[in-house]
Amino acid sequence: MTLALLFPGQGSQAVGMGVALADAFACARDVFNEVDEALGQKLSTLMREGPEDQLTLTENAQPALMAVSAAAARVLKVEFGVGVDRAAFVAGHSLGEYSALCAAGALSLTDTARLLKLRGQAMQRAVPVGQGAMASLIGPKTDLALAEAAAKVGAEIGVCVVANDNNAGNIVISGEKAAVDRAIEAAKELGARAILLNVSAPFHCPLMQPAADEMAAALAAATINAPVVPVVANVLARPESDPEVIRRLLVEQVTGRVRWRESMEWMAGEGGVTRFAEVGSGKVLTGMAKRIAPNAESAPLNMPEELEAFAKSLG
């Protein structure tokens, strides 16, 4: 068995996430307290009690999702003796790449929390609310070629690109509102269904360049160590362990495409991964894994009993 650990991104947040871990394990509570201290806010209380609209704010959702992933990884290590080094690779979807780097020891928990808080704020600042949009193109006819063709039509009147290549049947476009609207019409004509996403900014497109510039400055000052296992980077869809390359890729990731389908295909193919475990809130990546790599085992790890069963299954 070859294992890869996956770390979820925005959209997996929910009020109550991490509560079962915090109630069951002191080491999980320690993680949440450390994140609260790093940010100077009671993020753990927001995660436990809501309100949902505050938790969903990008600047809160990003560090909160990371905190749950970090807590789950810490419980695996401290309570069940399963370190991240048992995996061949780690990978995270968008902000989840920071969670993966934190779990693999490349970034400290404090630095990761602060970087993600800034990342969320910078992304929100980059484009005034209402000027940008994102849309999910879905359905059996939806593939990368269709999405790129639709985005190209949108790009005739403004910025519009493929932002997230999640899996066949689920691809996200991003850009200026009018351009995305035009791309949606084109996608429908090509046989896809399209849903405007309830997001506060158009992530992973050139409009995010101001946020990328802010993150470049912040990351330049951050300590990045070599991860204990390679991190499959969003913008490369290949593993990377060099700290300076990782620093550059995290900047590129702000405006660049999340190449998740390709990342998963590489791990299940050349990487030889036969088992995927999603560490953190929700099970979005588990669902994607089952579609992209149906021959591999995949399961979410966010409840105490799931972590315990997973650790026992490793022997």
Side-chain angles (χ1 to χ4, degrees):
M1 180 209 71
T2 301
L3 172 68
L5 299 178
L6 308 178
F7 295 82
Q10 211 159 328
S12 292
Q13 70 275 0
V15 173
M17 65 181 187
V19 169
L21 293 177
D23 289 349
F25 304 109
C27 63
R29 293 193 293 275
D30 289 344
V31 169
F32 295 135
N33 289 337
E34 194 174 329
V35 171
D36 284 353
E37 194 171 318
L39 299 180
Q41 75 175 111
K42 288 296 268 182
L43 189 63
S44 58
T45 302
L46 181 59
M47 291 157 61
R48 182 180 284 268
E49 301 173 6
E52 186 176 7
D53 63 335
Q54 291 298 305
L55 180 62
T56 303
L57 289 175
T58 302
E59 65 175 87
N60 292 327
Q62 295 201 21
L65 284 162
M66 182 279 299
V68 178
S69 290
R74 176 111 31 120
V75 169
L76 272 178
K77 173 73 171 175
V78 174
E79 299 291 337
F80 302 116
V82 177
V84 172
D85 56 358
R86 292 288 292 271
F89 307 100
V90 294
H93 192 282
S94 191
L95 82 90
E97 193 163 305
Y98 284 79
S99 307
L101 288 163
C102 180
L107 288 167
S108 72
L109 180 60
T110 295
D111 281 355
T112 310
R114 289 173 178 162
L115 285 167
L116 283 174
K117 183 76 172 179
L118 173 64
R119 185 176 182 269
Q121 292 170 334
M123 286 175 148
Q124 192 60 71
R125 279 193 291 265
V127 181
V129 173
Q131 289 191 13
M134 299 182 78
S136 183
L137 309 184
I138 54 177
K141 291 187 176 181
T142 302
D143 59 13
L144 185 58
L146 181 150
E148 288 185 328
K152 186 176 180 182
V153 173
E156 291 171 2
I157 61 168
V159 173
C160 186
V161 299
V162 173
N164 298 11
D165 180 9
N166 289 327
N167 57 255
N170 178 4
I171 300 176
V172 176
I173 58 174
S174 179
E176 294 176 71
K177 178 71 168 63
V180 170
D181 287 342
R182 172 78 68 87
I184 286 172
E185 293 307 312
K188 289 176 179 176
E189 289 172 10
L190 292 167
R193 288 189 294 134
I195 301 170
L196 269 174
L197 298 180
N198 183 22
V199 293
S200 55
F203 307 133
H204 299 292
C205 81
L207 297 175
M208 287 287 111
Q209 189 57 49
D213 294 342
E214 283 194 61
M215 290 310 297
L219 286 159
T223 299
I224 301 180
N225 304 306
V228 294
V229 296
V231 178
V232 178
N234 283 187
V235 295
L236 288 183
R238 293 291 185 275
E240 185 54 63
S241 294
D242 182 286
E244 292 312 310
V245 176
I246 289 169
R247 196 186 309 272
R248 174 173 56 80
L249 294 176
L250 287 174
V251 177
E252 291 180 12
Q253 189 223 53
V254 178
T255 57
R257 181 181 300 177
V258 177
R259 296 168 62 187
W260 192 252
R261 175 186 56 82
E262 293 174 85
S263 297
M264 293 292 293
E265 287 176 348
W266 187 91
M267 284 187 278
E270 288 182 53
V273 172
T274 55
R275 189 176 189 185
F276 293 98
E278 181 175 4
V279 185
S281 180
K283 51 187 178 183
V284 171
L285 300 185
T286 301
M288 290 183 192
K290 288 176 177 175
R291 288 188 283 274
I292 300 167
N295 295 325
E297 186 182 339
S298 52
L301 299 180
N302 56 44
M303 299 300 285
E305 59 272 19
E306 293 169 343
L307 295 168
E308 184 175 9
F310 174 72
K312 284 180 177 175
S313 74
L314 295 178

